[in-house]
């Protein structure tokens, strides 16, 4: 464990140096609610600093109760003793993954996107008579074409799919991978300070929960439970509620943690491993394991993001020994990744000055693409406005611009899912915003990749399915169904009925787009018909093109209970009611008819 922690801390320092635009230190607070825990955690955290040695990001420190609440005002105050703050690293994982692949290509690697291994190629060693792996049979997932790749050495680095490739080599080999599901949820940024995370090391069932600022939102997680290996892991309502329940334990009573504030949720699979060479085969390792089969297949399994470089080094060292390859010493320590070379913390200012980008957009581009941000800015379209001069956003509340879709295609993005989840983080930040941006994204990609209308339709539907199941849209929409319970007190029911009948003038028992348009026109508000259709469709539970009184009461009940938040129809109708009330004539009877 000591060696694993020490290696991880060394690699963390390397990560911050090799991709400074993608990674940064983040202070994390451990709130203390029992006096005896203060020295206990303090010793543990100080040992963490000690092991890091010269690679320690910043020294940990103790906070008084008042200071802890000043830095993290959302914290629960009662019984709070104080807090300990330590520093860890945070990075843009999707962009880091791409930066590694692009850097490898820059140094001569041949890379293939959307290629899957169908089977291993083998040949008989003339000296020993043994079967040896000499390549793989691949399939291009996008075209369906198959091709062979010959190699002196084949490395299996497939994460949760480790065992499926090992069984291509030997059907009898025992499994070494123990997949574990980790669910995360994203909530609005106001749930956490801009630059301070929270760690709960002692949850109700012993798992660790993080609560961190991320991309101007708040990310909370993670669960740790056994799962089956799948390419499409799906978050469950049970896991989401577990995370929210633990978060409630740490936030103050004046801060309501609402289920409706979950903007996105997803599940990932950790490839925990048992070392096949270990005597205790039941012990799971969070470290990495390198194994070599009788046929020469090299497998690297386990590990974590922070230690990716050390994992690669150990794997290549094993390959050199096993296959007698010619190579010099490892060159990757200190090697800067794509975008890091000319990056500086003030690079975004040049983007604002040279191209007329919004400051928020420029900061996003600089922290995502590093010194390649200028290439994105060059292809950004002129807005026609006084400011910003270039850079049309995909959705108003996020700094992603249309030029990033074009640039994503240049960086081998081939599906709409690529763009919303891996080239931008829209799907991970807000599934509804991603859903809203999809048509425009598909249009831009269609133009760049010459998609026909049928292809564009397929891409749109595939991306919507991805958002619905894998990014938590389904569990979000399930909060309001046609069987949802109405739990409102009689006075609230009467109040909401009056609001509903303001729109349903004819007392039909339902409202349509025409009803909403009529009320909006009376208060001089204009909303286009497509947007109105979307707004009503969110609440139209039986999908009959109209919103019945019962559906409206179900919506208002869900809003009150916190299961649904940000309902456009609920806000629209409340706003319209208040506007109409303000516009009612002032009674003049007491003034004799005059003013």
């Amino acid at each position: 464990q000591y060696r694993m922690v020490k290696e991880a801390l060394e690699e963390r320092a390397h990560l911050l140096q090799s991709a400074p635009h993608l990674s940064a230190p983040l202070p994390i607070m451990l709130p203390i609610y029992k006096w005896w825990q203060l020295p206990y955690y303090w010793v543990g955290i100080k040992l963490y600093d000690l092991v890091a040695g010269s690679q320690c990001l910043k020294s940990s420190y103790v906070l008084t109760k008042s200071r802890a609440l000043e830095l993290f005002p959302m914290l629960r105050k009662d019984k709070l003793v104080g807090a300990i703050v330590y520093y860890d690293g945070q990075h843009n994982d999707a962009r880091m993954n791409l930066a590694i692949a692009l850097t490898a290509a820059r140094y001569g690697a041949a890379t293939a996107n959307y290629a899957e291994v169908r089977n291993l190629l083998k040949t008989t060693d003339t000296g020993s008579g043994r079967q040896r792996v000499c390549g793989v049979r691949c399939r291009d997932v996008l075209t369906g074409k198959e091709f062979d790749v010959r190699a002196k050495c084949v490395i299996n680095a497939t994460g949760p799919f480790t065992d499926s490739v090992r069984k291509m080599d030997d059907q009898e080999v025992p499994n070494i991978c123990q997949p574990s599901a980790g669910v995360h949820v994203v909530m609005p940024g106001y749930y956490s300070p801009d630059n301070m995370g929270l760690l709960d090391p002692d949850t109700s069932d012993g798992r660790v929960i993080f609560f961190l600022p991320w991309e101007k939102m708040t990310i909370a997680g993670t669960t740790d439970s056994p799962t089956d290996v799948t390419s499409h892991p799906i978050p469950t309502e049970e896991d989401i509620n577990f995370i929210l329940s633990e978060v409630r334990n740490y936030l103050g009573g004046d801060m309501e943690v609402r289920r409706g504030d979950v903007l996105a949720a997803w599940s990932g699979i950790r490839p925990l491993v048992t070392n096949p060479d270990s005597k205790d085969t039941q012990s799971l390792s969070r470290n990495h394991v390198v194994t070599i089969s009788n046929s020469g297949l090299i497998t690297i399994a386990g590990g974590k993001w922070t230690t990716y470089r050390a994992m690669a080094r150990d794997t290549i060292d094993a390959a050199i020994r096993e296959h007698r390859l010619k190579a010099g010493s490892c060159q990757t320590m200190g090697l800067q990744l794509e975008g890091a070379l000319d990056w500086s913390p003030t690079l975004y200012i040049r983007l604002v000055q040279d191209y007329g980008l919004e400051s928020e957009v420029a900061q996003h581009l600089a922290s995502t693409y590093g010194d390649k941000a200028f290439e994105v800015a060059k292809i950004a379209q002129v807005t026609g406005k006084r400011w910003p001069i270039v850079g049309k956003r995909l959705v108003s509340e996020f700094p992603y611009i249309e030029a990033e879709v074009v640039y994503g295609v240049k960086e081998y993005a081939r599906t709409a899912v690529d763009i919303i989840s891996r080239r931008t983080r829209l799907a991970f930040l807000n599934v509804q915003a991603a859903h809203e941006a999809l048509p425009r994204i598909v249009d831009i990609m269609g133009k760049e990749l010459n998609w026909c209308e049928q292809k564009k339709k397929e891409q749109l539907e595939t991306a919507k399915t991805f958002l619905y199941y894998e990014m938590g849209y389904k569990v979000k929409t399930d909060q309001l169904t046609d069987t949802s319970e109405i739990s409102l007190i009689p006075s609230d029911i009467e109040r909401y009925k009056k609001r509903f009948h303001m729109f349903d003038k004819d007392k039909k028992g339902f409202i349509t787009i025409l009803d909403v348009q009529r009320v909006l026109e009376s208060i001089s508000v204009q909303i286009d018909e497509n947007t109105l259709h979307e707004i009503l469709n969110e609440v139209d539970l039986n999908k009959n093109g109209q919103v019945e009184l019962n559906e409206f009461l179900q919506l208002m009940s869900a809003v009150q209970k916190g299961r649904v938040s940000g309902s456009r129809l609920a806000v629209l109708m409340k706003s319209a009611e208040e506007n109409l009330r303000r516009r009612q004539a002032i009674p003049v009877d007491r003034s004799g008819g005059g003013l």
Side-chain angles (χ1 to χ4, degrees), residues 246-267:
E246 295 301 329
V247 167
R248 286 187 188 102
N249 291 337
Y250 275 84
L251 296 188
D254 55 342
M255 184 129 185
E256 185 186 356
V257 180
R258 303 182 298 178
R259 174 62 182 83
D261 281 340
V262 175
L263 304 173
W266 70 93
S267 176

Side-chain angles (χ1 to χ4, degrees), residues 482-501:
D482 53 9
T483 58
S484 296
E485 181 188 356
I486 298 174
S487 51
L488 296 167
I489 59 175
S491 60
D492 282 340
I493 290 176
E494 284 306 308
R495 179 158 55 95
Y496 293 136
K497 277 184 176 179
K498 283 180 182 177
R499 186 176 297 172
F500 184 85
H501 290 311

Side-chain angles (χ1 to χ4, degrees), residues 516-528 532 572 575-576 579 583:
V516 178
Q517 280 178 326
R518 187 188 67 242
V519 173
L520 292 179
E521 283 171 8
S522 71
I523 58 173
S524 304
V525 174
Q526 286 188 331
I527 298 178
D528 69 84
L532 274 178
L572 188 87
S575 177
N579 265 284
R583 288 176 179 227

Side-chain angles (χ1 to χ4, degrees), residues 371-419:
D371 60 20
K372 302 295 179 188
F374 293 99
E375 295 181 17
V376 183
K378 283 175 188 173
I379 58 176
Q381 288 187 329
V382 175
T383 63
K385 301 176 184 176
R386 185 185 64 79
W387 191 264
I389 298 170
V390 301
K392 187 177 179 184
R393 296 192 184 209
L394 288 167
V395 282
S396 59
E397 67 264 45
F398 292 100
Y400 304 113
I401 58 174
E402 292 183 354
E404 290 181 80
V405 182
V406 178
Y407 192 74
V409 171
K410 294 180 187 296
E411 287 188 331
Y412 318 112
R414 287 298 176 266
T415 68
V417 172
D418 276 343
I419 296 294

Side-chain angles (χ1 to χ4, degrees), residues 182-316:
V183 172
H184 293 75
V185 301
V186 167
M187 304 166 79
Y190 54 69
Y191 272 95
S192 65
D194 289 341
N195 194 37
M196 179 69 76
L198 186 75
L199 169 66
D200 177 2
D202 188 25
T203 63
S204 57
D205 67 354
R207 293 182 285 192
V208 173
I209 289 284
F210 283 94
F211 192 65
L212 311 169
W214 181 64
E215 300 283 332
K216 299 193 176 175
M217 294 294 187
T218 300
I219 186 171
T222 171
T223 60
D224 191 354
S225 51
T227 185
D228 294 324
V229 177
T230 171
S231 299
H232 306 286
I234 296 171
T236 65
E237 185 64 23
E238 182 185 1
D239 283 328
I240 293 170
N241 283 326
F242 166 76
I243 293 170
L244 294 181
S245 173
E246 295 301 329
V247 167
R248 286 187 188 102
N249 291 337
Y250 275 84
L251 296 188
D254 55 342
M255 184 129 185
E256 185 186 356
V257 180
R258 303 182 298 178
R259 174 62 182 83
D261 281 340
V262 175
L263 304 173
W266 70 93
S267 176
I269 301 178
R270 290 187 200 87
L272 302 180
V273 293
T274 52
N275 190 338
D277 304 321
S278 171
K279 291 175 184 176
D280 177 13
T281 55
Q282 296 306 307
S283 60
L284 290 178
S285 171
R286 289 182 184 269
N287 206 344
H288 61 272
V289 172
V290 179
T291 67
I292 305 171
S293 74
N294 290 331
S295 64
L297 175 70
I298 294 176
T299 295
I300 169 70
K304 51 184 177 287
W305 242 124
T306 313
T307 59
Y308 87 90
R309 192 207 65 86
M311 292 165 65
R313 178 200 62 206
D314 293 349
T315 308
I316 296 302

Side-chain angles (χ1 to χ4, degrees), residues 344-492:
S344 74
T346 57
L347 181 141
Y348 79 94
I349 297 172
R350 286 170 53 201
L351 290 169
V352 175
Q353 293 175 336
D354 295 354
Y355 294 94
L357 286 160
E358 289 176 89
S359 183
E360 186 188 10
V361 170
Q363 287 176 9
H364 153 66
L365 293 181
S367 64
T368 302
Y369 303 94
D371 60 20
K372 302 295 179 188
F374 293 99
E375 295 181 17
V376 183
K378 283 175 188 173
I379 58 176
Q381 288 187 329
V382 175
T383 63
K385 301 176 184 176
R386 185 185 64 79
W387 191 264
I389 298 170
V390 301
K392 187 177 179 184
R393 296 192 184 209
L394 288 167
V395 282
S396 59
E397 67 264 45
F398 292 100
Y400 304 113
I401 58 174
E402 292 183 354
E404 290 181 80
V405 182
V406 178
Y407 192 74
V409 171
K410 294 180 187 296
E411 287 188 331
Y412 318 112
R414 287 298 176 266
T415 68
V417 172
D418 276 343
I419 296 294
I420 60 174
S421 62
R422 293 178 278 273
R423 298 314 196 274
T424 69
R425 309 316 303 272
L426 258 182
F428 288 85
L429 293 169
N430 190 317
V431 284
Q432 286 179 289
H435 189 274
E436 184 184 318
L438 266 177
R440 182 59 186 144
I441 288 170
V442 169
D443 281 343
I444 296 169
M445 293 189 77
K447 186 177 178 182
E448 292 296 313
L449 295 167
N450 298 315
W451 286 345
C452 63
E453 287 303 313
Q454 179 60 29
K455 177 73 171 176
K456 286 165 68 173
K457 187 178 178 182
E458 287 172 5
Q459 283 292 319
L460 194 60
E461 290 309 310
T462 302
K464 284 180 178 178
T465 302
F466 167 78
L467 290 174
Y468 189 70
Y469 291 105
E470 295 179 53
M471 299 311 302
Y473 210 164
K474 182 181 186 300
V475 286
K476 186 175 180 69
T477 55
D478 282 351
Q479 299 307 305
L480 185 63
T481 66
D482 53 9
T483 58
S484 296
E485 181 188 356
I486 298 174
S487 51
L488 296 167
I489 59 175
S491 60
D492 282 340

